[in-house]
Amino acid sequence: MRLLVITDKLLPSDHSFVQGVLQTALPALGVEVTFFGFSHTRHGRWGEGGVRYRAFRPWPGGVAAEALQLVARFVPLLLGRARYDAVFTRNDPVALLLGRLYRARHRRARHAHQISFLHAEGLLAQGARGGARLKAYGDLLLRNALLPGVDRVFAVSAQMARDLRRRHPRMGARLDHLPLGVLPADFEGALPYEARPIEAAYVGTLGAARRLEVVVEAVARYNADHGPLTLHVWGASHDPQDDEALRGHVARLGMQQRVLLLGRLPRAEVLERLKRTQVGLCAIPPEGVFVHSSPTKLMEDMAAGCCVVATSGIDDQERIVRESGGGVLVAFTPEAIAAGLRRALGDPTFAARAAARGRAYILEHRDYAAMARKVKRLLLDREGA
């Protein structure tokens, strides 16, 4: 089977699903995977680790220029001799359009589209203006027009799948729930819980919508009542102004030595650090597009053997913590998060047992190898289209 991937990530990607399923697990199943898209580091055609790449440097000029470039670069591939059994696209409506074009020209090919985040809805909910607002509406129009014709649509959470089914009732069984997960090999060599030097860590994008000021206030409250606790924060916002605002909030609370904003790190480095961390703080506001999320960082924290303090109100996150017993569920408030940290850090025996349960659960139920088998089976299944 030959699979063409048009991803919304720069190549080569360190995104969890892209690495775990598309770059690793599917090639291990004998699927010949070719990535098509943008890269800042390498251009042209090459093969690496059993995967092929067709990459090019983005044109200057922003999103509109990149969209035009993607289409222009795709035309020779569409008209050329190379043939693929299936096309896999993610999130980007322009990639969705290209997948539909390939499917229209090569009728025996299948097209699968994954939605991991409802970006357009998120921008509109945040009050986007000007070009960003126009782009969001354009993305919605493209998605709503093109999605019903896709052979397989993968939503990352059951909540997202339910909402998409209400919008596109004719899709039926072609719309499936494919959650995010982990590659177990990434989490080998974790330190025993009691030997871990990092008390607590938060990993993720630090955009304003994630309300990291609540997390900072929770750590300040914990330290005032129980301290001292140092929280490591690995991540950054796509908007530098968000990072600056968060640094300002940390400074106003006098927490510069207790909330360490270490910026965006390579995913491999983050995973190694998690394997040396006791508590993974997974605080996500249960509002807007976040309610649809499949909590990758929660799963990586648990797979690395962390006891998690996770906020409630997000279906997938709640279900994982409840079913696994891998940590503490709390409300998204400074008081509740501080209490959750106290429960985990104040009782090492409880935390170590929760960490072991969570790790075992994730490695059994969210293995990307199993998800890759499902993706391959559904792409080969013509009866379900």
Side-chain angles (χ1 to χ4, degrees):
M1 180 181 182
R2 303 185 72 208
L3 177 67
L4 175 65
V5 177
I6 309 173
T7 180
D8 58 334
K9 301 294 181 182
L10 289 168
L11 304 176
S13 173
D14 67 352
H15 182 271
S16 168
F17 181 89
V18 176
Q19 273 195 350
V21 173
L22 302 176
Q23 291 178 193
T24 304
L26 278 174
L29 295 175
V31 178
E32 181 184 297
V33 178
T34 298
F35 281 86
F36 173 86
F38 297 114
S39 175
H40 286 315
T41 59
R42 193 169 177 181
H43 315 111
R45 302 184 188 186
W46 76 94
E48 183 179 329
V51 176
R52 300 181 181 185
Y53 295 90
R54 300 176 65 147
F56 36 90
R57 187 186 302 275
W59 285 346
V63 174
E66 290 178 6
L68 288 173
Q69 182 187 13
L70 200 63
V71 173
R73 290 278 192 167
F74 189 72
V75 170
L77 187 150
L78 180 67
L79 301 177
R81 295 183 178 181
R83 294 290 180 271
Y84 299 95
D85 302 297
V87 180
F88 191 102
T89 54
R90 296 185 75 251
N91 293 322
D92 181 13
V94 177
L96 173 60
L97 171 63
L98 299 184
R100 285 292 307 276
L101 289 174
Y102 193 90
R103 176 75 165 81
R105 179 169 174 79
H106 305 288
R107 295 188 177 277
R108 292 190 59 80
R110 310 296 307 284
H111 179 199
H113 185 72
Q114 182 190 46
I115 303 176
S116 63
F117 192 80
L118 297 173
H119 292 279
E121 288 87 341
L123 286 170
L124 294 173
Q126 294 170 35
R129 297 180 179 180
R133 188 174 184 84
L134 183 63
K135 179 184 183 302
Y137 278 120
D139 287 357
L140 281 174
L141 286 172
L142 271 176
R143 189 207 303 156
N144 291 337
L146 297 173
L147 208 58
V150 177
D151 297 302
R152 294 286 178 185
V153 176
F154 297 125
V156 296
S157 71
Q159 180 67 52
M160 181 187 287
R162 287 193 294 270
D163 287 352
L164 287 173
R165 284 194 183 97
R166 283 195 289 269
R167 300 178 199 178
H168 304 285
R170 292 183 298 169
M171 294 198 65
R174 290 182 294 125
L175 174 57
D176 207 345
H177 169 212
L178 185 73
L180 303 182
V182 301
L183 202 62
D186 288 341
F187 298 92
E188 295 174 354
L191 287 180
Y193 187 85
E194 62 277 4
R196 299 181 171 208
I198 300 173
E199 290 178 291
Y202 176 98
V203 185
T205 304
L206 308 185
R210 293 184 178 266
R211 298 173 56 194
L212 265 294
E213 68 276 6
V214 173
V215 171
V216 176
E217 290 164 16
V219 175
R221 182 175 292 270
Y222 178 94
N223 279 338
D225 295 338
H226 312 290
L229 164 66
T230 300
L231 177 71
H232 293 238
V233 179
W234 305 320
S237 174
H238 298 299
D239 184 346
Q241 291 184 355
D242 294 341
D243 294 332
E244 189 61 34
L246 181 59
R247 283 192 291 269
H249 192 71
V250 170
R252 282 191 295 275
L253 292 179
M255 296 292 291
Q256 299 96 318
Q257 302 303 314
R258 292 300 174 191
V259 177
L260 305 182
L261 303 175
L262 302 176
R264 184 178 289 111
L265 302 175
R267 182 168 175 269
E269 183 176 344
V270 169
L271 298 187
E272 288 304 312
R273 290 179 181 228
L274 282 177
K275 289 184 279 189
R276 302 169 59 242
T277 299
Q278 294 180 347
V279 174
L281 181 53
C282 306
I284 306 172
E287 58 197 27
V289 295
F290 296 123
V291 300
H292 296 122
S293 61
S294 184
T296 312
K297 302 311 176 188
L298 173 87
M299 291 181 271
E300 291 180 343
D301 287 355
M302 295 172 75
C306 302
C307 173
V308 295
V309 175
T311 48
S312 57
I314 297 169
D315 283 358
D316 205 19
Q317 181 150 290
E318 282 198 29
R319 181 168 53 253
I320 290 171
V321 177
R322 292 188 192 281
E323 290 181 0
S324 68
V328 185
L329 275 172
V330 299
F332 188 77
T333 66
E335 298 80 8
I337 294 170
L341 289 169
R342 174 61 176 169
R343 177 74 176 101
L345 294 169
D347 188 344
T349 300
F350 160 79
R353 289 174 178 170
R357 289 193 296 265
R359 175 177 166 85
Y361 177 93
I362 292 297
L363 296 183
E364 178 181 358
H365 296 283
R366 293 299 179 98
D367 184 349
Y368 273 146
M371 296 181 199
R373 290 192 291 271
K374 179 178 180 178
V375 170
K376 182 179 180 181
R377 173 174 56 81
L378 291 176
L379 287 175
L380 291 172
D381 174 21
R382 296 187 176 276
E383 300 301 320

